[in-house]
Amino acid sequence: MLSVLVNGLTWTSGPETEAIGLAYLTHPHPLIRGWVSELLDREEGVLRPGGLAAVLALARDPDPGVRERTCTWLWHYKGCEPEIGDLLVELTHDERQPTRAYAVAALALRDDPRCVAAEHRIGPLQPGTDADALPLTAVWWCQRRHQEQKEHG
């Protein structure tokens, strides 16, 4: 029941919602912890200090599902905190292929050149993986943007 309630809160935003999310940061059930990143308030695309600390903790959570969900959230996050870039590099070593793929893609979307070296860590797609669901072209687009900047800049 708590999971349904926390999920419902993801449709709201603001400091009150974030405070509720942060209260569940150390909840014993990984399903509940997995929702916390969705409850973080982003003022003008930037995390508040408590939110940044929460994302760093969630991305290092012992549960691979929590890490994967947080990494997917980071793929959509547009902030430019250097800690996030370093965290994404860490996640390119995760045990789960989707987590590694989203971490590499998030680095590419941030125009972080470390995405190129990390791309090989995604590895060959596991049987049954929906290739369309993984952001596998992000590094190519990043390299193309950099090449165009060199040519025109």
Side-chain angles (χ1 to χ4, degrees):
M1 182 66 152
L2 179 60
S3 177
V4 172
L5 292 172
V6 175
N7 179 2
L9 286 172
T10 64
W11 293 93
T12 65
S13 63
E16 303 84 13
T17 303
E18 181 175 80
I20 292 168
L22 293 175
Y24 290 112
L25 185 61
T26 58
H27 192 276
H29 199 288
L31 186 61
I32 303 302
R33 293 192 311 275
W35 285 112
V36 172
S37 61
E38 301 288 335
L39 301 175
L40 299 177
D41 191 29
R42 293 165 275 187
E43 293 179 359
E44 300 178 21
V46 178
L47 287 168
R48 297 171 191 247
L52 178 59
V55 168
L56 296 173
L58 291 166
R60 294 177 176 124
D61 193 275
D63 184 82
V66 173
R67 292 192 308 271
E68 183 175 334
R69 186 174 197 123
T70 304
C71 190
T72 302
W73 182 86
L74 286 167
W75 180 52
H76 296 284
Y77 177 63
K78 304 301 181 226
C80 60
E81 300 90 342
E83 300 93 337
I84 298 293
D86 294 340
L87 179 66
L88 289 166
V89 171
E90 284 179 42
L91 288 168
T92 66
H93 295 277
D94 196 82
E95 66 190 69
R96 286 192 173 178
Q97 186 175 49
T99 303
R100 295 191 308 270
Y102 280 105
V104 168
L107 285 168
L109 291 173
R110 296 168 60 87
D111 276 330
D112 190 318
R114 296 177 289 181
C115 69
V116 176
E119 183 180 29
H120 78 279
R121 292 187 202 119
I122 295 172
L125 293 181
Q126 298 170 355
T129 300
D130 179 7
D132 293 333
L134 296 175
L136 298 176
T137 61
V139 174
W140 181 83
W141 283 107
C142 180
Q143 290 174 313
R144 184 173 175 168
R145 282 191 306 273
H146 285 259
Q147 184 61 36
E148 288 175 0
Q149 287 172 354
K150 284 180 187 177
E151 292 172 1
H152 297 96

